[in-house]
Amino acid sequence: VSHGPFANLDAYYNMGFEKLDQTLEAGYTVEFKNNSSITTGVSDIMVRLMEDFDPTHVSDVYLPKGSEYRYTQWNGRVDTSPRHPLNGYLLYAKGGFFNGQVDRVEANLTFRYQPFVNLSLNTVYTDLRLSAPFDHHKFLLIGPKLDITFSPKVYLTTFVQYNEQINNTNVNIRFQWRYKPVSDLFIV
């Protein structure tokens, strides 16, 4: 078992060196012998908007350009060992979000039948509660993905994603043939 604290700082500036965004994250990770892990942390987030912005992406109400928001979010994450044929993770985050609050649950489940099939399902549920004039919104995102290896040179990748937030379904199917090293033919 290995464990310890971590810290990370990401900051973004415009060409005049004015700070636009900053995320300061601190937490603790415990990693077990089988590579599964448990992580918890807190993020202090600052955002200065460069344009009018709708954080829900579904309303006609906008936070004004130039406004600044600072909020804190807590998160916890459990990862199973990626060495197992069936693996995944579960993440829960809670805290501020611009001028309101958010709860987010993210889960991923992956099944591998090596070397032929890799099947995964990614889901994200977001409960967004912003102050007036925004409405309370709940969003669901679901994205299954299937990778099939027919031979060392022929692959098929299929990705489907349903986004309830914008009521949209995307499908991406890619066939790949590697007919000689560093020479691939893709059909999308």
Side-chain angles (χ1 to χ4, degrees), residues 49 52-59 61-63 69 97-100 126 128 130 134 137 139 165:
L49 298 178
D52 291 344
F53 177 65
D54 171 16
T56 68
H57 298 288
V58 295
S59 73
V61 181
Y62 294 90
L63 299 173
Y69 299 89
F97 187 74
F98 290 94
N99 65 351
T126 305
L128 191 55
L130 300 175
F134 292 98
H137 292 284
F139 301 115
Q165 185 174 13

Side-chain angles (χ1 to χ4, degrees), residues 57-183:
H57 298 288
V58 295
S59 73
D60 293 329
V61 181
Y62 294 90
L63 299 173
K65 173 183 177 179
S67 57
E68 188 173 303
Y69 299 89
R70 184 170 209 127
Y71 48 92
T72 303
Q73 291 184 355
W74 169 85
N75 68 72
R77 180 175 169 143
V78 176
D79 288 83
T80 64
S81 174
R83 291 190 263 178
H84 296 297
L86 185 63
N87 63 78
Y89 69 85
L90 179 65
L91 174 129
Y92 176 70
K94 180 178 187 64
F97 187 74
F98 290 94
N99 65 351
Q101 296 290 310
V102 67
D103 287 280
R104 191 174 94 240
V105 178
E106 186 174 325
N108 175 278
L109 187 62
T110 300
F111 173 73
R112 287 188 335 254
Y113 180 69
Q114 288 187 330
F116 306 108
V117 176
N118 191 8
L119 176 64
S120 63
L121 177 64
N122 191 43
T123 58
V124 180
Y125 172 77
T126 305
D127 184 0
L128 191 55
R129 301 169 308 282
L130 300 175
S131 61
F134 292 98
D135 294 326
H136 180 182
H137 292 284
K138 296 179 181 182
F139 301 115
L140 181 64
L141 178 75
I142 300 172
K145 181 179 179 183
L146 174 66
D147 293 310
I148 300 173
T149 302
F150 297 105
S151 75
K153 295 181 178 188
V154 180
Y155 317 93
L156 179 71
T157 300
T158 302
F159 177 73
V160 178
Q161 183 180 61
Y162 171 68
N163 185 340
E164 183 184 47
Q165 185 174 13
I166 57 175
N167 194 24
N168 184 22
T169 301
N170 294 311
V171 177
N172 182 308
I173 300 171
R174 182 183 75 186
F175 178 79
Q176 178 181 355
W177 173 36
R178 183 165 293 147
Y179 54 93
K180 59 183 175 177
V182 195
S183 299

